[in-house]
Amino acid sequence: MAFAVVLLAGAAVAQSLEKAEVRYQGWAGQVTFPELAEDLGYLAPLKLKWIGNTISGPQDIQTVATGDIDIGGAFYGAIIKLIASKAPVKAVIGYYGSDDHTWQGYFVKEDSPIRGPRDLIGKKVAVNTLGAHLEFVLREYLARGGLTPEEIKKVTLVVVPPVTGEQALRQGQVDVTTLAGVLRDKALERGGLRKLFSDKDLFGNFTGGAYVLRDKFIRDNPNTARKLIEGTAKAIEWARASPPDEVRARFEKIIAERKRNEDASSIKYWQSTGVAGQGGRITDGELQVWIDWLVKDGLLKPGQLKASDLYTNDLNPYGRAAAATVPK
C-alpha cells in the first residue's frame, strides 16, 4: 500500500511539471549547478537536455533569449545589457562569484615590466569573451588607476579560450592573461607567473553572475521553472556545505558518466562555489554596482533600468525565505 502511495505521489509531481526536460549548454571539463542538481536527485522527475558546450556567458544568455535553450548564465553586466536591449529574460539565481578561494586573476610573466594600470597602455590582455565579467573588471581597474577613456581604448582585448590563456601568455601572444580557479592554480603550480590584480581585490567577496530564464518560460511553465531553480539552489547549498573533496569527487563522477570526451583533470583544483548569497539568492546591490558602471560608461541612461526589475527570487526557496523575514 505504501509503495502504491509513493508511486502515485511521484506521478502527481511528474504531471504537475509543464515540461519534462530543460535544454541547456554545458562547459567542457566543468560541472554546472543544474547538472549537479540533477545528479543529486534534486530535479527529479525533471530532466536536463544538453545541446552542446559554450565558453561564453553572453553567448549562453543570448541563446536563452532566442529560445534555443531554456536556461543559461552570464556575468551581471552582460545580463543588464541584454535586458536593456529589450530581451525578455530575467535573472533567477546567482551561480558564480569571487571569495577567498575562488576569484578571477589577471596575470603577467614574472619578469614582466607591467606593474600597474598605466603600464597596460598599448598592451594586449586575454579575455574569454568581450562585453563580460573580465572586460568590465579590467576597465574598472584601469579607471581606478586614473586612465582616461581614450587611454583605456589603447588597451587591446584579445579573445582567448580560458584553457589556452596560460599558453598565450607564456608564448608572448598577449601581455596579460586572465586565469581563475582550476586553470589559475594549475598555471601557478608551473611557476613563472605573477598576479597583477584580481576581481576580489577590487570588489571583495561578491556574486558576479546569474542564470536567466525567459519571461515566457517562467509564465508558461511556472512549476517547471520553480523545480529547476529550487533544485539548483539546493545544489549550490550542498556544494557550499560539503567538504571540497566530496564535491570534487562528485564532479569527477558526473564528468566520467556523461561521456563527452573531455578532460576532467582540472576538477582536483576546485575549492569553493564563489556564490555569496545563500542558495544563490540575488540582491539589488549585486546588480546596482554594474548598472552604475554602465551609466558611468554611457551605455545606459540614468534611471533607465531598476535593479529590482531585472531579477526574481520567487523561484528560489532561499530567496523566498529571506523575503518572508523582511518586515512589511
Side-chain angles (χ1 to χ4, degrees):
M1 182 67 176
F3 180 66
V5 171
V6 170
L7 283 178
L8 288 172
V13 171
Q15 289 174 0
S16 71
L17 297 180
E18 300 83 5
K19 283 182 172 288
E21 63 181 21
V22 170
R23 301 164 299 162
Y24 79 105
Q25 294 183 121
W27 293 73
Q30 300 179 40
V31 176
T32 68
F33 284 119
E35 287 174 324
L36 176 61
E38 182 176 48
D39 189 71
L40 289 167
Y42 295 157
L43 296 186
L46 184 63
K47 299 287 187 182
L48 296 179
K49 182 179 181 181
W50 175 69
I51 68 162
N53 285 334
T54 184
I55 63 164
S56 164
Q59 185 276 337
D60 204 27
I61 60 173
Q62 180 63 45
T63 309
V64 173
T66 59
D68 294 307
I69 60 174
D70 300 310
I71 185 170
F75 164 58
Y76 279 128
I79 293 172
I80 294 166
K81 289 173 68 177
L82 185 63
I83 294 175
S85 70
K86 306 300 183 182
V89 301
K90 195 174 262 38
V92 289
I93 184 170
Y95 76 98
Y96 87 88
S98 296
D99 58 25
D100 292 340
H101 303 291
T102 301
W103 42 270
Q104 297 272 0
Y106 295 69
F107 292 86
V108 296
K109 291 181 183 178
E110 206 160 39
D111 59 356
S112 170
I114 297 173
R115 296 284 172 177
R118 193 154 292 279
D119 298 328
L120 290 175
I121 297 174
K123 301 297 191 295
K124 296 178 181 178
V125 180
V127 295
N128 69 317
T129 189
L130 300 178
H133 184 112
L134 297 177
E135 178 180 347
F136 275 60
V137 172
L138 173 64
R139 292 175 68 178
E140 178 69 11
Y141 172 73
L142 297 173
R144 290 191 192 185
L147 274 69
T148 65
E150 291 71 27
E151 290 173 325
I152 290 175
K153 290 177 182 177
K154 295 178 182 177
V155 180
T156 302
L157 299 180
V158 180
V159 176
V160 176
V163 293
T164 57
E166 176 192 355
Q167 180 183 6
L169 176 63
R170 293 189 188 277
Q171 293 182 348
Q173 297 168 1
V174 296
D175 303 288
V176 182
T177 196
T178 44
L179 298 167
V182 295
L183 297 175
R184 176 197 69 213
D185 293 344
K186 287 174 73 172
L188 293 179
E189 270 191 1
R190 286 186 272 271
L193 302 185
R194 169 171 52 84
K195 187 187 84 170
L196 183 62
F197 71 98
S198 73
D199 56 358
K200 186 178 184 300
D201 294 337
L202 298 182
F203 300 107
N205 291 6
F206 70 101
T207 297
Y211 290 121
V212 303
L213 295 174
R214 291 188 311 285
D215 296 336
K216 186 177 188 301
F217 183 93
I218 297 173
R219 185 172 59 251
D220 294 349
N221 310 284
N223 297 329
T224 301
R226 185 178 296 264
K227 184 69 176 179
L228 174 62
I229 302 310
E230 284 183 346
T232 301
K234 289 174 66 177
I236 290 171
E237 284 306 295
W238 180 88
R240 281 160 57 109
S242 301
D245 283 346
E246 184 178 346
V247 179
R248 288 190 285 264
R250 194 88 185 200
F251 284 170
E252 288 171 347
K253 178 185 82 74
I254 292 170
I255 290 174
E257 290 178 349
R258 68 193 186 191
K259 295 181 173 60
R260 296 181 189 168
N261 191 30
E262 56 196 322
D263 179 11
S265 63
S266 62
I267 292 298
K268 66 182 179 180
Y269 296 90
W270 186 92
Q271 297 184 59
S272 67
T273 67
V275 178
Q278 186 181 30
R281 182 173 65 89
I282 301 172
T283 66
D284 283 5
E286 290 173 1
L287 287 144
Q288 192 62 51
V289 64
W290 302 112
I291 291 174
D292 293 344
W293 196 98
L294 287 163
V295 169
K296 181 178 67 176
D297 206 47
L299 297 174
L300 285 181
K301 297 176 182 177
Q304 180 178 345
L305 294 177
K306 185 179 177 182
S308 59
D309 293 337
L310 308 181
Y311 72 93
T312 179
N313 282 318
D314 290 350
L315 304 174
N316 188 332
Y318 299 96
R320 295 197 302 272
T325 64
V326 178
K328 300 297 184 184

